[in-house]
Amino acid sequence: MVQRPPGNGVAVAALVLGIISVAFGVWMVIPIVGFFVAFTAGPCAIVAVVLGHVGMNRSRVVGLGRNQALTGLILGYSTLAIAVGAAIFWTIAVIVSGATA
């Protein structure tokens, strides 16, 4: 019987959620759509970051999945940066538009 080495499913999950969060995250800068998309991209990015860290730790033990976990981390943190930037931009835009009206 052939025995397979243990995999790193957590790293794969981080990668998949990171890709989903970026796919939705780029839409956050659009005025109306971005508000609704943020509720999908934000949680996916947070879970991708958490699973990415867990996957990195597991890759030290298993020896597999380091690159997948790292990519999930990068994509998750990138989406969170987009979310913070969009929130700051729209907050300033609302304040400025209210002050000039």
Side-chain angles (χ1 to χ4, degrees):
M1 177 176 269
V2 176
Q3 192 173 16
R4 299 172 110 184
N8 194 347
V10 179
V12 174
L15 176 63
V16 169
L17 287 172
I19 291 170
I20 291 171
S21 68
V22 167
F24 284 118
V26 296
W27 292 87
M28 281 193 276
V29 295
I30 299 174
I32 303 296
V33 177
F35 178 74
F36 296 107
V37 172
F39 290 110
T40 303
C44 284
I46 292 169
V47 174
V49 167
V50 170
L51 291 179
H53 283 290
V54 173
M56 290 291 283
N57 288 335
R58 184 177 250 192
S59 72
R60 290 187 190 106
V61 174
V62 177
L64 296 170
R66 182 181 186 282
N67 292 335
Q68 294 168 339
L70 182 62
T71 305
L73 276 171
I74 292 169
L75 294 175
Y77 279 128
S78 298
T79 303
L80 290 175
I82 292 170
V84 169
I88 291 171
F89 172 77
W90 288 116
T91 303
I92 291 171
V94 167
I95 290 172
V96 169
S97 68
T100 58

